[in-house]
Amino acid sequence: MTLLQAIPTTTATPITLPTLLLSAMVWVPALGAIGLLFFPTRTEVQRERARSFAIGTTALVLAFGVFMWYGFRDQSGTFAYEETRSWLRGVGSSYHLGVDGVSMPLLLLSTILFVVAVLASSRLREQAKEYFILLLLLETGVNGVFASLDYLLFFLFWQLQAVPMFLLIARFGGPRRLSAAWKFLAVDLAASALLLLAILILYFKAPVRTFDISTLHDLALPAATATLIGWLFFIAFAVRLPAFPFHTWFIDAQAEASAPTALILGGILVKLGGYGVIRVNLGEFQDAFHRISGAVVVIAVVTVLWSAIAALAQDDLRRLVGYVVMSHMGLVLLAAASAAPVAINGAVLLMVADGLTAALLVLMAAAIVERAGTTSIRAMGGMAANMGRGALFWILAALAAIGFPGLASFIGQFMIVVGAYPSQRIATWIAVLGILVLAGAMILTVQRIFFGATPERLGRLRDLGTLELFNAAALTTFIVLLGVLPAILMDSINFSVLSLLSRGSG
Amino acid sequence: MTLALLAAAPKGPLDTWSPTLLALFALLLPLIALLIVLAFTIDSRRVSAWIAVIFTLAAAVCTFLVVAIEVAHPLHLERPATFLQFFTGQSGSAAEFTLQWGVLSDPLAAEVSFAVALISLLVQIYALAFMRREDGVVRFFCVLLFATFAMLGVTFSINYFEMLLFFGLVTLSTYLMIGHWWQREEAVAAASRAFIISALGDIALLAAVAYIYFRFNELNFQALSGHYTGGRVSANGLFIMAILVFIAAAAKSAQFPLHLWLVGSAQAPAPAAALIHSAGSAVCGVYLIARAYGLFYASPRGLALLAIAGGLTAVLGVLWALFQENLKRAIAYTTMSELGLMVLALGIGAYGAGVFELFTHAWPKALLFLAAGVIIRELRTERLAEMGGLWQRMRFTGVLMLIAVAAGAGIPPFSTFWSKDTILSKALELGSPLAIAVITAVTFLGAMALVRIFALVFTGETARRRRFEPDRIRDAGGRLALTMAVLAIASLVSGIRGFRGRTDPIAFVTFPGVSLPNSHFVAAGVIAASAVLGALVAFVVYARRVRVPAALQPVRHAMGEGLFIDRAYRLAAVGIVLPVSRAAAWVETRVVDGGLDLVGDSFEFARQPRRWLGEFRIRPLLIGLFAGVVVLGTLAIVLAGGIIGRTG
Amino acid sequence: MSAGLNLLLVASAALFAVGVLGVVTRRSAVVMLLGTQFMFIAGALVFVAFARFGLGAARANAGATMALFIGAVSVAELAVGLAMAALIYREHRSFALDADRG
């Protein structure tokens, strides 16, 4: 009680921090994409130059991200780096950006993952330019969603991701890429339609004609309207999450997309679903969300358990990685449904951890698949004979996915279980069972891929190359760092979560 | 006797020789060694191994000092450090969520940590010679250091969270140790099985932590010890907590029905197996029960659960041990039986005795495995049927193994006799015929099983095999002999209890409210008699290689296979989980995706009946989806309009 | 909401549906472009409808202006689209756009 009073609500005055930082983080990738248009890519040297430019752009955005994290500190639950510029005044939409403790870690994660993705895209031919342009546009969309505090802006950046992702899958993917790409596009657009519907209903039903999130947060909407809006938002985010039964697009896309694309998809794009649920459903429509929380819990638990069981019998390595990510996002959804501060802190931490873990899993899976010449786990075996380092990093990634102590996901999963338990007892125990099944699945992959006798045709493989090693090592460093010192993010996250939960009732 | 020596050694005042600081050193030294090896010396076998040994020696010295201090001033001290802390916005004591880690120093921790550190040191010295010519030696030492760190972490844990954390680390270390020779399919399979069962235990502990935190809002062992009996939680609640903690302990300590991984641990290299069985994962579970004893003590049903499960495990383990064809597996099953005995002891309230059994059992068990390692290497077989007649050729190892067998069997005055007799005393005090019978039978059969091993290996004639010359067998020498000799000495003396209160090891580790059993002479006599009798029977039967009648062969086979429980588990896993998984995949492709396709297909069918039977259609999907969106959107708008219209 | 407005909105939705069906169902590039034109028209019709019926005198100009704007955009799109269709025809001798040809 007294503690709640001590938490300040959103202030109108922005803190005195550089006010262009978020705009830079959102638009520099787009500018980079435009700049790439002028690069010729006929020869190998020119393509390398284009790639270096892309690396430079994403590295610059990463530098901004680190600066943002460093200067963030504990803003007591308010929004930092706020920028407000008038944009569509007639409609009531402004260019309003800002981050708080929930979006800041995810934004930082996004900048890290895009650098890794660009670094991992090394073997492209004529379409290198398009590839990097699409990737950079995607980064603009992703960063924009995390930073925006205006519903219309939110929606626009959300939509911005659809076409680049579609093209990335459709043009640079595996044998069944078109089917996967179209499925992604169709499902994503359908979900976006629901999102737009929700935003528009909110807009028209609000007493003030505005799209601004902070202005709209203390609304007194009639219960039925709020529930309807809550449902629409929830389904839109649940499709992205991906929650059962809207998840098939994600698994197919993970299977068919190239490694860097799959990395972005599983590492950051699905986190937008979780972020949306926390920011909008919990932060803005808490009572409505509480009313539908029974259904949400069921969906969350089914997601965790279903994906774990599916992972167990999965033979395709890349689909298995997809199921692992899906299982973690199910836990995030469970935490959101429980609306407990401890659990939601854990959820944000788990999302960051899972982004890093998914990236490592995808990169290692791509390395394994490339060397084994097949995606079928059953056809592999004994690969540790030649791929000692690959085995090490895959084991680390598998342990991180399980939630092994000392690695990033442990604290997140722990806090979700401990936090969600008081309000959702049976659901938490079933979810814990799902974690166990996933642990079994992952350890079996280690056994089947790397250990045991080495078949003849896998006798001569090369171990991880320099670039692969660098990416893997960088991701592992972050995973271990976050696992051993979760406090580096926790302090920022906590106050914002509390503020979000206390503000959201309305 | 040993502890009397310690009490006489001069030590500084408590302030400067703080046991928690020493415990912290002991905990961190293996980790530092591991990091140094990984960072700097990973290419050099010799340097890495010696760094490991030196740091472990330092850790062992620290734990020894901790024991000395605790003997002089038995205290419970903690040195906590905050791992994570944030506000939860709730009121009262629930306003903060704090996760702590740290070290504690009390008699229980001191005793067990000393055993862990010393055995780890001896195992590493042994491995210096044993694994000298292998690939992956550096990896092996890294894993040993990691395992030592994990185990010491378990013993020094101050709260359930830290226990959970280190339990996870122990799971990984066990996996890495068993799967060290990863090229072998059986080793890898055994390692995966151990991991899964251990992970099951960790998950159970996670559930226990969630429940305990929910009920008590507290995870610290010391703080919780007063809360269990406060009446805040119903008897059912306490029982559920006890069950969950027991599952975690059972998974780590191979209690029935989670015992399957212990046999598989025989796939580990001998030094690693020695560590696992005497001072590794097997010890963790019993330690958890001892640490959380307040919980069990407050729940009578929990104690009953311990007693029943422990008794069952002890009996099954020893029965199965009698029918094993493989040397290491036979020793492994005797471990299972001993662990069952420890849990049984804790269940009937013989707290100090149960913990002391943990301590006294560690030395002979480690010695058994190390000796087995030497034997297997020299004979180049693991099968008992192919061994024999080693007494003439490997006299030194034979003597040591004799000591280990006697100590493990409970023959006075060797180590486990002292603890077993106290356990039986407690059973006599309680007057429970079942407990008395079980303890006596387990002692008898355990002695039989151990002496059987000795007899089959050392007596009789060597079985003839192709391409094997028994004359080329050399006895253990150098470092191998040294380490085994140290363990043998420990097996000899570690049990002996002074008869003055302060140096009585049973009284060293106490639990408030649990009375110390007086050592009945009856109990001592019974234990001594059953152990000696079992030894004699086994010697007579097995030294003469008495053949099992053909009628009993199926029984023998069934017992040898652990009553096929392992196969039952595997069938269940394959039979249940895989079909479920495949059903899930079917549902996905047919139902969920099919739903998507159906909408699209329906339009394609309407358009071109002939062509809709083709493969996945993109355009119809879009049509279908668009139609669906339109329909849903219209419905939503109408509904929303209706709702909004109604409410204005 | 008056009856006239509703009628115009329904008509616009129908036109939009026709446009989408045209784009999604047909293979020829030119017909697909025609479909997009239908969609643009539908959007413009909505704006004009609201200008005429819905938002009051102050906004009437906005609606009509928007329709003009849409017209300009649609012509630009048509121009680019037809140019690409011409290139496709030059290469493949037909306007067909098939998914299997990537």
Side-chain angles (χ1 to χ4, degrees):
Chain A
M1 293 135 349
T2 40
L3 210 53
L4 278 177
Q5 287 158 7
I7 300 167
T9 52
T10 322
T11 60
T13 52
I15 327 278
T16 52
L17 288 161
T19 52
L20 274 184
L21 191 61
L22 285 182
S23 284
M25 289 180 72
V26 171
W27 293 111
V28 162
L31 290 175
I34 295 176
L36 268 178
L37 279 174
F38 299 106
F39 277 72
T41 50
R42 277 186 313 272
T43 72
E44 186 66 36
V45 176
Q46 288 169 340
R47 283 196 279 275
E48 273 309 305
R49 238 181 261 144
R51 181 163 169 262
S52 306
F53 182 75
I55 295 176
T57 313
T58 46
L60 185 61
V61 179
L62 174 63
F64 289 147
V66 172
F67 186 73
M68 164 190 73
W69 165 76
Y70 187 71
F72 185 80
R73 302 296 177 210
D74 158 37
Q75 300 294 334
S76 301
T78 58
F79 288 104
Y81 300 102
E82 265 189 275
E83 299 176 30
T84 316
R85 295 194 175 79
S86 63
W87 177 37
L88 295 176
R89 211 172 330 146
V91 181
S93 171
S94 58
Y95 179 77
H96 189 186
L97 300 182
V99 283
D100 71 347
V102 174
S103 44
M104 188 276 292
L106 293 170
L107 192 51
L108 183 62
L109 173 72
S110 157
T111 58
I112 294 175
L113 287 185
F114 271 101
V115 173
V116 173
V118 171
L119 278 175
S121 321
S122 57
R123 253 166 282 112
L124 296 161
R125 287 174 301 274
E126 311 85 38
Q127 301 131 337
K129 194 162 73 169
E130 287 102 342
Y131 182 85
F132 289 119
I133 290 177
L134 290 170
L135 215 53
L136 288 173
L137 283 177
L138 197 55
E139 181 166 14
T140 300
V142 168
N143 289 358
V145 172
F146 282 130
S148 59
L149 290 178
D150 179 281
Y151 278 115
L152 196 59
L153 212 57
F154 187 97
F155 178 73
L156 284 177
F157 282 120
W158 188 281
Q159 281 294 79
L160 187 55
Q161 303 157 20
V163 172
M165 194 41 133
F166 166 76
L167 287 174
L168 279 170
I169 301 177
R171 296 199 65 191
F172 302 96
R176 292 186 57 222
R177 59 187 180 279
L178 281 176
S179 158
W182 280 108
K183 202 186 281 191
F184 161 77
L185 187 66
V187 174
D188 198 61
L189 288 180
S192 307
L194 290 178
L195 189 60
L196 182 60
L197 200 57
I199 293 175
L200 286 177
I201 295 178
L202 178 61
Y203 175 71
F204 283 111
K205 277 296 142 188
V208 187
R209 277 295 156 87
T210 174
F211 281 105
D212 193 61
I213 295 187
S214 5
T215 320
L216 284 175
H217 82 87
D218 242 343
L219 289 180
L221 285 176
T225 317
T227 313
L228 174 70
I229 298 176
W231 263 118
L232 288 172
F233 270 123
F234 170 67
I235 295 181
F237 294 132
V239 168
R240 183 59 85 85
L241 203 76
F244 181 90
F246 310 117
H247 62 283
T248 47
W249 69 267
F250 176 64
I251 308 294
D252 281 346
Q254 281 288 104
E256 298 301 325
S258 67
T261 315
L263 193 159
I264 295 295
L265 180 60
I268 196 71
L269 236 69
V270 295
K271 310 298 179 273
L272 285 169
Y275 170 72
V277 171
I278 293 179
R279 164 73 74 220
V280 177
N281 278 103
L282 265 186
E284 310 299 323
F285 298 100
Q286 217 170 97
D287 290 342
F289 194 59
H290 184 71
R291 263 170 266 145
I292 67 174
S293 67
V296 175
V297 165
V298 171
I299 292 178
V301 169
V302 173
T303 304
V304 173
L305 207 52
W306 183 279
S307 49
I309 294 179
L312 202 56
Q314 191 56 243
D315 191 46
D316 185 320
L317 189 58
R318 289 174 305 182
R319 295 180 84 97
L320 186 135
V321 172
Y323 281 116
V324 170
V325 175
M326 180 178 157
S327 192
H328 289 164
M329 295 310 291
L331 283 174
V332 170
L333 192 57
L334 178 65
S338 74
V342 176
I344 300 190
N345 275 304
V348 177
L349 205 56
L350 184 63
M351 278 202 281
V352 176
D354 187 61
L356 296 168
T357 309
L360 189 58
L361 280 170
V362 165
L363 284 179
M364 287 298 109
I368 294 170
V369 164
E370 187 202 354
R371 285 158 176 81
T374 170
T375 61
S376 160
I377 298 179
R378 250 177 255 132
M380 304 179 195
M383 287 173 75
N386 298 102
M387 284 182 72
R389 292 198 204 118
L392 174 68
F393 281 110
W394 177 261
I395 293 177
L396 272 165
L399 291 172
I402 297 172
F404 185 74
L407 300 175
S409 337
F410 171 64
I411 289 292
Q413 285 185 1
F414 178 81
M415 285 201 284
I416 291 179
V417 170
V418 172
Y421 179 74
S423 47
Q424 312 286 347
R425 299 202 209 171
I426 304 177
T428 310
W429 283 12
I430 300 179
V432 158
L433 203 63
I435 298 177
L436 178 66
V437 174
L438 198 65
M442 291 310 291
I443 210 65
L444 284 176
T445 64
V446 172
Q447 173 184 339
R448 286 185 194 144
I449 298 175
F450 283 108
F451 294 153
T454 314
E456 185 57 49
R457 65 185 180 83
L458 293 175
R460 239 167 261 300
L461 302 167
R462 49 186 179 83
D463 206 345
L464 296 183
T466 323
L467 192 60
E468 291 168 315
L469 205 57
F470 176 74
N471 280 333
L475 286 169
T476 309
T477 312
F478 284 124
I479 291 176
V480 172
L481 191 64
L482 201 56
V484 173
L485 291 172
I488 53 177
L489 279 183
M490 209 62 229
D491 303 330
S492 319
I493 297 176
N494 181 228
F495 276 114
S496 298
V497 167
L498 288 176
S499 163
L500 187 141
L501 284 175
S502 68
R503 278 182 4 224
S505 19
Chain B
M1 205 166 74
T2 28
L3 292 174
L5 280 173
L6 291 169
K11 289 286 170 267
L14 209 53
D15 319 324
T16 52
W17 283 94
S18 165
T20 52
L21 189 63
L22 287 168
L24 187 62
F25 283 153
L27 175 65
L28 291 181
L29 281 167
L31 181 65
I32 296 174
L34 176 65
L35 293 173
I36 292 178
V37 168
L38 283 177
F40 299 116
T41 67
I42 203 163
D43 290 319
S44 162
R45 282 185 196 181
R46 175 167 290 207
V47 179
S48 310
W50 278 108
I51 288 179
V53 168
I54 291 172
F55 275 78
T56 313
L57 176 64
V61 167
C62 288
T63 56
F64 179 76
L65 290 174
V66 172
V67 169
I69 295 176
E70 286 293 333
V71 166
H73 315 265
L75 276 185
H76 184 120
L77 288 178
E78 280 183 14
R79 178 185 288 259
T82 308
F83 182 71
L84 197 62
Q85 186 180 28
F86 53 87
F87 293 105
T88 59
Q90 292 162 359
S91 58
S93 65
E96 243 182 44
F97 183 77
T98 312
L99 291 177
Q100 286 189 322
W101 74 283
V103 292
L104 70 76
S105 154
D106 73 346
L108 175 64
E111 188 170 319
V112 179
S113 67
F114 175 61
V116 169
L118 188 57
I119 290 182
S120 174
L121 174 68
L122 292 171
V123 157
Q124 284 178 31
I125 298 177
Y126 179 95
L128 272 177
F130 191 75
M131 312 266 302
R132 198 181 33 196
R133 290 201 200 93
E134 301 212 2
D135 297 326
V137 170
V138 179
R139 179 164 50 99
F140 189 68
F141 273 94
C142 288
V143 171
L144 283 182
L145 283 171
F146 181 64
T148 313
F149 169 65
M151 273 306 305
L152 287 173
V154 169
T155 55
F156 289 132
S157 290
I158 60 174
N159 57 29
Y160 278 102
F161 164 70
E162 192 179 354
M163 189 69 101
L164 176 67
L165 203 143
F166 281 108
F167 255 42
L169 295 183
V170 169
T171 305
L172 179 65
S173 72
T174 313
Y175 174 75
L176 290 174
M177 280 196 279
I178 297 180
H180 177 76
W181 287 320
W182 54 264
Q183 293 93 336
R184 300 188 191 171
E185 300 276 359
E186 324 85 51
V188 177
S192 297
R193 188 179 317 156
F195 187 91
I196 293 177
I197 294 181
S198 248
L200 173 73
D202 297 342
I203 297 288
L205 191 56
L206 177 64
V209 165
Y211 191 46
I212 290 175
Y213 187 76
F214 169 54
R215 284 307 189 130
F216 292 117
N217 214 35
E218 177 72 61
L219 288 178
N220 188 298
F221 290 123
Q222 174 81 329
L224 273 174
S225 57
H227 288 180
Y228 293 125
T229 50
R232 281 172 59 178
V233 180
S234 68
N236 287 329
L238 285 174
F239 187 45
I240 293 178
M241 284 181 199
I243 291 179
L244 288 172
V245 172
F246 172 69
I247 295 177
K252 284 285 187 297
S253 283
Q255 301 297 305
F256 183 87
L258 297 171
H259 60 281
L260 298 160
W261 69 269
L262 196 65
V263 172
S265 70
Q267 297 286 337
L275 187 62
I276 294 175
H277 282 251
S278 60
S281 167
V283 152
C284 275
V286 179
Y287 187 82
L288 173 62
I289 297 177
R291 212 12 115 201
Y293 200 62
L295 172 61
F296 288 97
Y297 199 62
S299 166
R301 277 182 285 173
L303 285 178
L305 174 66
L306 285 181
I308 295 174
L312 197 57
T313 308
V315 170
L316 283 174
V318 83
L319 281 177
W320 288 335
L322 283 168
F323 292 95
Q324 290 306 310
E325 307 269 332
N326 179 306
L327 174 58
K328 275 158 105 178
R329 285 169 67 115
I331 305 177
Y333 272 118
T334 62
T335 309
M336 176 180 163
S337 158
E338 289 281 343
L339 290 172
L341 191 61
M342 289 177 218
V343 173
L344 171 64
L346 289 172
I348 63 175
Y351 183 76
V355 173
F356 192 50
E357 172 80 15
L358 199 102
F359 185 74
T360 57
H361 160 260
W363 316 102
K365 193 45 58 79
L367 179 54
L368 275 172
F369 269 106
L370 293 187
V374 172
I375 293 168
I376 291 174
R377 176 151 294 183
E378 288 302 323
L379 288 180
R380 269 175 278 153
T381 175
E382 284 188 16
R383 299 186 34 143
L384 285 169
E386 294 174 6
M387 300 183 187
L390 280 184
W391 184 251
Q392 291 89 343
R393 295 189 180 87
M394 295 176 81
R395 189 64 58 93
F396 184 67
T397 313
V399 167
L400 292 181
M401 194 167 210
L402 191 59
I403 297 177
V405 161
I411 296 175
F414 296 100
S415 57
T416 55
F417 164 73
W418 302 97
S419 42
K420 281 182 179 151
D421 110 76
T422 317
I423 298 176
L424 189 57
S425 306
K426 186 72 181 188
L428 284 173
E429 248 181 57
L430 284 178
S432 156
L434 189 59
I436 298 171
V438 165
I439 296 173
T440 316
V442 166
T443 312
F444 178 77
L445 291 171
M448 260 189 83
L450 286 170
V451 174
R452 168 180 179 261
I453 295 174
F454 178 79
L456 285 178
V457 172
F458 283 98
T459 65
E461 292 194 2
T462 320
R464 294 276 149 212
R465 282 185 333 185
R466 278 184 303 128
R467 291 202 275 149
F468 174 68
E469 297 153 46
D471 298 316
R472 296 182 67 192
I473 297 174
R474 290 178 305 128
D475 205 347
R479 293 192 200 111
L480 300 176
L482 174 68
T483 54
M484 293 200 292
V486 172
L487 284 172
I489 296 175
S491 310
L492 280 170
V493 304
S494 65
I496 296 179
R497 304 167 49 188
F499 290 95
R500 281 166 291 149
R502 200 162 71 120
T503 57
D504 185 356
I506 303 280
F508 183 50
V509 179
T510 58
F511 187 80
V514 177
S515 59
L516 289 175
N518 294 316
S519 182
H520 290 192
F521 284 117
V522 174
V526 170
I527 292 285
S530 43
V532 172
L533 212 57
L536 282 175
V537 169
F539 195 78
V540 164
V541 170
Y542 292 106
R544 300 230 186 120
R545 304 283 198 275
V546 172
R547 293 256 152 253
V548 178
L552 284 180
Q553 280 289 10
V555 175
R556 190 163 171 239
H557 185 55
M559 288 302 227
E561 289 294 323
L563 283 177
F564 299 112
I565 292 184
D566 175 44
R567 292 219 192 135
Y569 267 105
R570 230 180 298 172
L571 268 170
V574 170
I576 296 178
V577 175
L578 273 186
V580 169
S581 197
R582 291 208 190 102
W586 182 88
V587 168
E588 271 195 17
T589 40
R590 297 271 170 238
V591 173
V592 177
D593 269 357
L596 281 178
D597 292 349
L598 197 64
V599 178
D601 284 353
S602 59
F603 281 84
E604 176 68 17
F605 175 72
R607 196 158 72 88
Q608 288 179 352
R610 278 171 295 128
R611 286 180 66 188
W612 85 293
L613 291 163
E615 73 287 68
F616 182 85
R617 290 278 165 193
I618 297 147
R619 262 182 247 123
L621 172 66
L622 282 178
I623 299 175
L625 253 146
F626 171 68
V629 169
V630 165
V631 168
L632 278 174
T634 319
L635 263 170
I637 293 174
V638 167
L639 276 173
I643 294 174
I644 298 173
R646 246 185 291 126
T647 54
Chain C
M1 302 252 251
S2 67
L5 180 61
N6 285 338
L7 198 61
L8 275 175
L9 288 180
V10 169
S12 147
L15 271 175
F16 190 82
V18 167
V20 169
L21 264 146
V23 169
V24 168
T25 321
R26 303 296 291 262
R27 279 170 54 187
S28 162
V30 176
V31 178
M32 282 176 148
L33 285 168
L34 279 180
T36 64
Q37 295 305 301
F38 270 95
M39 291 197 268
F40 277 118
I41 293 286
L45 188 55
V46 170
F47 277 104
V48 168
F50 273 102
R52 167 71 176 83
F53 287 106
L55 301 171
R59 302 295 170 94
N61 295 331
T65 318
M66 208 51 216
L68 271 178
F69 189 68
I70 291 176
V73 169
S74 73
V75 165
E77 180 250 5
L78 191 60
V80 175
L82 283 175
M84 290 200 289
L87 281 173
I88 292 176
Y89 188 82
R90 200 191 299 174
E91 188 162 329
H92 298 289
R93 289 254 135 232
S94 100
F95 283 116
L97 299 176
D98 279 330
D100 13 316
R101 233 190 296 128

